[in-house]
């Protein structure tokens, strides 16, 4: 029955009963997070990937996702398939905040960035471009899990 208890706690937390702390305890996945995000694309990632399809951790082709303009992200903190609302943090430079979209909703379809890099999220090129100029490279963001 311990497994059933964890499942019930996860459902209650996801539905707002018990708050974000209960969700994190029950699932081990944060509901909100902040930190540095960067972007990645097939031109960089697939150069070192021996598979011609260049699959993401979810099995979808990075080439196909980019061609369709899918807004996605790579994360170790959230399960594959999780939808996240990402917005530029209030601590980001004022010029970045003025020119960025309010937020962008992405789906976690890949794993990364490597924890040693100090980033919390890698965004697809198209998702990052909605938040900041690609030339910026990295941006401070706030991340929130979106209920399905």
């Amino acid at each position: 029955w311990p497994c059933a208890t964890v499942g019930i706690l996860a459902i209650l937390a996801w539905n707002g009963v018990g708050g974000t702390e209960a969700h994190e305890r029950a699932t081990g996945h944060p509901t909100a997070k902040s930190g540095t995000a960067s972007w990645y694309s097939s031109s960089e990632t697939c150069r070192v990937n021996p598979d011609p399809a260049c699959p993401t951790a979810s099995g979808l082709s990075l080439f196909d996702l980019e061609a369709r303009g899918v807004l996605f992200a790579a994360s170790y903190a959230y399960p594959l398939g999780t939808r996240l609302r990402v917005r530029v943090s209030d601590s980001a430079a004022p010029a970045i905040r003025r020119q960025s979209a309010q937020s962008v909703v992405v789906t976690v379809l890949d794993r990364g960035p490597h924890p040693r890099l100090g980033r919390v999220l890698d965004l697809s090129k198209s998702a990052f471009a909605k938040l900041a100029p690609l030339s910026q490279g990295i941006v401070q963001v706030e991340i929130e899990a979106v209920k399905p």
Side-chain angles (χ1 to χ4, degrees):
W1 69 272
C3 292
T5 303
V6 170
I8 291 169
L9 284 175
I11 291 168
L12 290 175
W14 191 251
N15 289 311
V17 179
T20 58
E21 289 180 16
H23 171 77
E24 289 183 32
R25 278 195 309 274
T27 64
H29 304 117
T31 54
K33 200 172 182 74
S34 64
T36 305
S38 65
W39 63 273
Y40 75 115
S41 70
S42 60
S43 60
E44 295 299 317
T45 306
C46 300
R47 189 168 38 96
V48 296
N49 188 336
D51 188 330
C54 195
T56 60
S58 62
L60 301 170
S61 166
L62 192 52
F63 294 119
D64 291 343
L65 292 170
E66 288 179 344
R68 293 185 313 188
V70 176
L71 303 177
F72 63 95
S75 173
Y76 281 114
Y78 297 94
L80 294 174
T82 303
R83 297 181 68 226
L84 305 173
R85 182 176 315 283
V86 182
R87 73 175 193 88
V88 175
S89 173
D90 291 336
S91 65
I96 298 299
R97 287 197 317 268
R98 275 194 305 276
Q99 68 188 41
S100 75
Q102 289 294 324
S103 66
V104 63
V105 176
V106 298
T107 304
V108 176
L109 296 177
D110 209 355
R111 292 291 175 219
H114 194 282
R116 284 186 281 162
L117 297 175
R119 298 188 310 264
V120 295
L121 199 63
D122 275 346
L123 295 167
S124 64
K125 190 175 181 178
S126 54
F128 189 95
K130 291 184 180 294
L131 297 175
L134 294 176
S135 61
Q136 178 83 15
I138 60 171
V139 67
Q140 290 298 116
V141 295
E142 295 176 6
I143 306 162
E144 177 185 13
V146 177
K147 292 181 183 180

